[in-house]
Amino acid sequence: MINLAHQSGCVTCHAISGAGKGPNGLKPIGPAWQDVARKYGRDPDAKAALVTTVLNGSSSYQSHWKGEVSGVAM
Ligand code: HEC
């Protein structure tokens, strides 16, 4: 999975754990995946929704991580 994420360019914006920081001390560009797991881990519908987001990208008008990351959409 980690190799796939590297080969797919995901780690440009995402870290695995929450330690990652964005440029100039800003919040990270995308949420750390451990934070994603914490947020959706108990939601049985999350897998389908997250797969759709990864395949299609996310909408800056419906940001799920507003204020928590410096990127507005994926
Ligand atoms: C250009 C930067 C960028 C790249 C590259 C990127 N992401 Fe993201 N990703 C983001 C941002 C920004 C968000 C937060 C979007 C939001 O607030 O809804 C995000 C959110 C997510 C989420 C959570 C979605 C949600 O609904 O909460 C997952 C899972 C994710 N990314 C996986 C991936 C994977 C897998 C890849 C590689 C195939 C990838 N990302 C590549 C910027 C990126």
Side-chain angles (χ1 to χ4, degrees), residues 9-10 13-14 29-31 33 40 50 53-54 58 63-65 71 73-74:
C10 313
C13 303
H14 291 281
I29 297 171
W33 284 323
Y40 299 106
L50 292 176
T53 298
V54 171
S58 64
S63 178
H64 294 162
W65 295 86
M74 178 165 81

Side-chain angles (χ1 to χ4, degrees), residues 43-71:
D43 178 355
D45 299 325
K47 183 177 174 184
L50 292 176
V51 167
T52 301
T53 298
V54 171
L55 290 176
N56 299 337
S58 64
S59 166
S60 55
Y61 297 106
Q62 299 176 340
S63 178
H64 294 162
W65 295 86
K66 195 175 178 126
E68 296 174 71
V69 297
S70 56

